């Protein structure tokens, strides 16, 4: 029987190419390959005797990197944002390691590890400076990128995420939501489990036939062993948690009804991060704010980007 989620991928790919991005794989080092969606204008046709594109042109517009969360690969997560941004920005959408075909044979599973390899991949694509937009798990990776590579990451937009997953935040969140572990929440292995994840992630109840849930599980939840290790590598001890001093502007763009990382966490984070950090809540949206209210989300995102680059021009 045809997997409905897999069957719509060619359509998604076509729509994304029309929007201005196309897939490209980067071998960061032997054993580690990261897949990206890159601006079409950076991809030149292979030369004579070449079977595939061997290098890309540098981006010509300000770069925006969209980093996905834990329950879907990059282009599925950001499908409603790409087309809204490509006119004015060079948009890059990575698949983090163990998502969307990106793989590594290295044993590290920390957000720092993901951030390091993502930066290496972007540099191989000719990206020198960028604004990073991170959702959920991708937000934690984005914070690590900004902390370790401040000359590359000019600013951040973070949605439904936190600086680091501490013991206390993990326990409180799972107890409140009624899950025994992060894997039970974020790595469902049944239609019932996927429905439970969607019920806490979305503001409005979503209805899909069980067949579609089953097909989604098959396509989006690959590399289960490695992803379980990623979840284990995510949690740090309370005593190891620190508040970095970020020189970049940070914009927290939140669904006001987010039940996973509640709005109060965003308020606290804003106070901890200081005067360079701003907050904007979006009504009638939960954790999946960029999917539930894409037009409002895109408007807020574009406003922040426009103000950021206007500041740079005026300096």
């Amino acid at each position: 029987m045809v997997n409905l989620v897999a069957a719509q991928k060619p359509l998604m790919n076509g729509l994304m190419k029309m929007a201005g991005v196309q897939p490209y794989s980067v071998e960061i080092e032997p054993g580690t390959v990261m897949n990206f969606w890159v601006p079409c204008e950076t991809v030149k046709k292979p030369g004579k005797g070449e079977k595939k594109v061997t290098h890309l042109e540098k981006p010509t517009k300000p770069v925006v990197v969209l980093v996905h969360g834990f329950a879907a690969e990059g282009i599925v997560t950001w499908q409603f944002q790409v087309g809204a941004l490509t006119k004015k920005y060079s948009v890059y959408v990575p698949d983090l390691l163990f998502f969307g075909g990106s793989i590594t044979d290295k044993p590290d599973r920390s957000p720092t590890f993901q951030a390091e390899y993502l930066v290496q991949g972007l540099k191989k694509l000719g990206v020198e400076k960028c604004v990073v937009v991170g959702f959920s798990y991708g937000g934690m990776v984005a914070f690590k990128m900004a902390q370790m590579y401040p000359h590359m990451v000019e600013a951040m937009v973070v949605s439904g995420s936190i600086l680091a997953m501490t013991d206390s935040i993990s326990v409180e969140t799972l107890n409140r939501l009624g899950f025994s572990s992060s894997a039970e929440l974020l790595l469902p292995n049944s239609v019932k489990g996927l429905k439970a994840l969607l019920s806490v992630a979305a503001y409005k109840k979503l209805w899909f036939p069980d067949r579609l849930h089953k097909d989604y599980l098959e396509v989006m939840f690959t590399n289960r062993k490695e992803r379980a290790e990623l979840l284990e590598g995510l949690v740090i001890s309370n005593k190891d948690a620190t508040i970095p001093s970020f020189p970049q502007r940070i914009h927290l763009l939140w669904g006001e009804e987010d039940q996973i990382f509640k709005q109060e966490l965003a308020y606290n984070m804003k106070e901890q991060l200081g005067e360079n950090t701003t907050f904007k809540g979006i009504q009638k949206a939960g954790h999946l704010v960029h999917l539930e209210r894409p037009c409002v989300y895109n408007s807020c995102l574009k406003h922040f980007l426009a103000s950021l680059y206007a500041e740079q021009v005026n300096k």
Side-chain angles (χ1 to χ4, degrees), residues 289-310:
V289 55
H290 56 294
L291 295 172
E292 292 189 282
R293 303 291 308 277
C295 293
V296 179
Y297 187 93
N298 294 349
S299 177
C300 295
L301 177 56
K302 289 193 288 185
H303 183 268
F304 173 78
L305 293 170
S307 67
L308 177 72
Y309 289 111

Side-chain angles (χ1 to χ4, degrees), residues 306-315:
S307 67
L308 177 72
Y309 289 111
E311 280 181 10
Q312 292 182 359
V313 169
N314 293 330
K315 281 183 179 178

Side-chain angles (χ1 to χ4, degrees), residues 54-93:
T54 56
H55 73 281
L56 271 62
E57 301 292 331
K58 288 187 175 183
T60 55
K61 295 178 282 191
V63 173
V64 177
V65 180
L66 304 173
V67 190
H68 63 82
F70 209 84
E73 59 195 44
I75 210 65
V76 173
T77 300
W78 299 109
Q79 58 186 291
F80 298 131
Q81 280 66 54
V82 171
L85 297 173
T86 48
K87 184 177 180 181
K88 291 187 177 181
Y89 304 99
S90 292
V91 177
Y92 291 78
V93 186

Side-chain angles (χ1 to χ4, degrees), residues 6-28:
Q8 60 81 40
K9 276 197 169 187
L11 174 61
M12 172 81 77
N13 291 2
L15 291 172
M16 290 301 106
K17 285 185 179 179
M18 288 173 62
V21 296
Q22 66 184 71
Y24 187 81
S25 292
V26 178
E27 184 179 42
I28 297 170

